[in-house]
Amino acid sequence: MVKAIRFHETGGPEVLKLEDVEVAEPAPGQARVRHSFIAVNFIDIYFRTGRYPLALPNGLGSDAVGVVEAVGPGVTDIRPGDRVGYLLGPQGAYAQARVMPADVLIPLPEGISDRTAATLMMKGMTAQYLFRQVYPLKGGETILYHAAAGGVGLIACQWARALGVTMIGTVSSDEKAALARANGCAHTIVTSRENIAQRVREITEGRGVPVVYDSVGKDTLMDSLDSLQPRGTLVSNGTSSGSVVVDSQLLAAKGSLWMTRPAMVHYIHPRAHMLEMARELFDHVLAGRIVSEPQQSFALADAAQAHHALESRKTTGSTVLIP
Ligand SMILES: NC(=O)c1ccc[n+]([C@@H]2O[C@H](COP(=O)([O-])OP(=O)(O)OC[C@H]3O[C@@H](n4cnc5c(N)ncnc54)[C@H](OP(=O)(O)O)[C@@H]3O)[C@@H](O)[C@H]2O)c1
């Protein structure tokens, strides 16, 4: 038996319950992983609240690191004792240990601690696919990036700097602005007192930006569209403040704009490609171009507190659970 967070109904953080669950022996193609750190992501809130439906009761979480304890028949490239992380697979990462499909496990290199890796799996890989695949940055661009002091955000700040990209980042407070700037964000806009699109026009001397990465959604949509150059691209990669609905005519009126709503799952397969994405991310970390540590840690049993902090915008950077 291991301790795991499960939920029997959708709702607020209080629906998350610590329970004892059985962990099976790994079947063919599977591996059993004992977690050292479990990452909390905003998508976990979408599942908990029912915005992304799951059959209940269910576990939660898809992002953790740890050590392989056992592998099932047919698993050859992952061995007991390997340090691994993952960001794909069935919900249920909020647990001391679990059985996983072995083909989603990413071996962790020496030189990257479990603690750091727990901030990289979902969040670092998201920065990779946004900046290197969805709208590939060449260097030299000025971009608008929302929630720059968040979990994905702090890695994105550093990745943009490494690429020679000037990032304009939005944040909700002066403390978050200072943190984003310390991580490489060139300009910050404090949304509680500044107009986003107006500030972007000032910073870019009226030109606007070629791309906006918008994970906030409902609250920032119009500012994002108003910050773009003609034929610019809105990458709508999250909905922390609520969903967006866009009339295509609006994209024409605002400058023949492009809009995409990317999901990681369409940018990470096959396995060889996932490992190549991870290699690029790990290279930045090993070279010191990206430095990433959890900013908040909670006991596994306190997952509800972690959710409350994340959804009430009290966190910066990455949040982890300690099993
Ligand atoms: N499409 C994909 O494949 C993919 C993959 C991973 C993550 N994502 C998305 O990327 C975003 C970032 O994920 P994360 O886990 O790193 O979270 P996060 O950025 O650490 O937390 C969300 C941040 O959004 C900002 N925010 C603005 N309005 C908000 C509101 N009404 N409620 C809550 N937060 C609000 C807050 O920053 P301020 O206080 O500074 O405004 C908050 O800290 C999420 O939207 C997530 O769903 C998408």
Side-chain angles (χ1 to χ4, degrees), residues 235-308:
V235 178
S236 172
N237 61 296
T239 53
S240 304
S241 69
S243 301
V244 296
V245 180
V246 179
D247 180 344
S248 59
Q249 192 53 39
L250 188 63
L251 298 178
K254 297 277 182 190
S256 299
L257 303 176
W258 299 83
M259 178 176 173
T260 180
R261 174 60 171 107
M264 170 79 80
V265 68
H266 303 121
Y267 285 85
I268 200 168
H269 295 295
R271 176 171 174 76
H273 178 62
M274 176 179 77
L275 295 179
E276 182 56 27
M277 290 167 63
R279 192 198 55 74
E280 186 180 9
L281 169 64
F282 294 155
D283 281 353
H284 279 304
V285 176
L286 290 167
R289 291 184 292 270
I290 293 176
V291 176
S292 188
E293 292 285 326
Q295 300 274 339
Q296 298 80 210
S297 301
F298 295 84
L300 175 62
D302 295 329
Q305 288 176 32
H307 272 224
H308 178 68

Side-chain angles (χ1 to χ4, degrees), residues 32-235:
R32 191 172 69 237
V33 181
R34 173 125 339 233
H35 295 149
S36 51
F37 293 90
I38 301 150
V40 178
N41 291 290
F42 215 90
I43 192 172
D44 305 343
I45 295 170
Y46 305 149
F47 281 115
R48 192 205 72 216
T49 56
R51 195 192 303 181
Y52 291 178
L54 280 177
L56 297 180
N58 216 312
L60 191 62
S62 61
D63 183 2
V65 301
V67 65
V68 176
E69 285 188 333
V71 297
V75 176
T76 53
D77 58 345
I78 299 284
R79 283 180 289 277
D82 285 355
R83 295 171 56 240
V84 295
Y86 62 85
L87 65 148
L88 297 176
Q91 293 292 303
Y94 289 15
Q96 291 173 323
R98 69 182 300 202
V99 166
M100 287 291 292
D103 63 0
V104 304
L105 299 178
I106 299 173
L108 301 179
E110 271 187 47
I112 296 186
S113 68
D114 285 22
R115 197 176 141 77
T116 288
T119 71
L120 300 177
M121 294 290 102
M122 176 71 84
K123 299 175 186 80
M125 294 287 268
T126 298
Q128 197 285 343
Y129 100 91
L130 291 178
F131 284 180
R132 305 279 293 134
Q133 300 188 66
V134 177
Y135 184 100
L137 296 169
K138 300 182 185 72
E141 302 94 335
T142 298
I143 66 171
L144 176 61
Y145 189 98
H146 290 294
V152 181
L154 287 188
I155 295 173
C157 289
Q158 297 176 73
W159 204 312
R161 178 172 60 188
L163 290 170
V165 166
T166 302
M167 184 195 280
I168 306 172
T170 67
V171 290
S172 60
S173 69
D174 289 303
E175 294 73 25
K176 289 187 176 189
L179 184 62
R181 283 199 302 273
N183 279 271
C185 186
H187 305 272
T188 47
I189 299 174
V190 180
T191 52
S192 51
R193 58 178 163 75
E194 294 183 286
N195 179 290
I196 298 171
Q198 199 178 315
R199 283 286 293 128
V200 169
R201 293 286 162 187
E202 282 166 16
I203 293 165
T204 59
E205 296 172 341
R207 289 187 298 276
V209 292
V211 60
V212 179
Y213 299 92
D214 187 343
S215 67
V216 171
K218 188 164 167 258
D219 289 355
T220 46
L221 173 70
M222 290 311 286
D223 274 310
S224 294
L225 297 177
D226 287 335
S227 297
L228 283 164
Q229 298 169 356
R231 304 197 304 274
T233 300
L234 172 62
V235 178

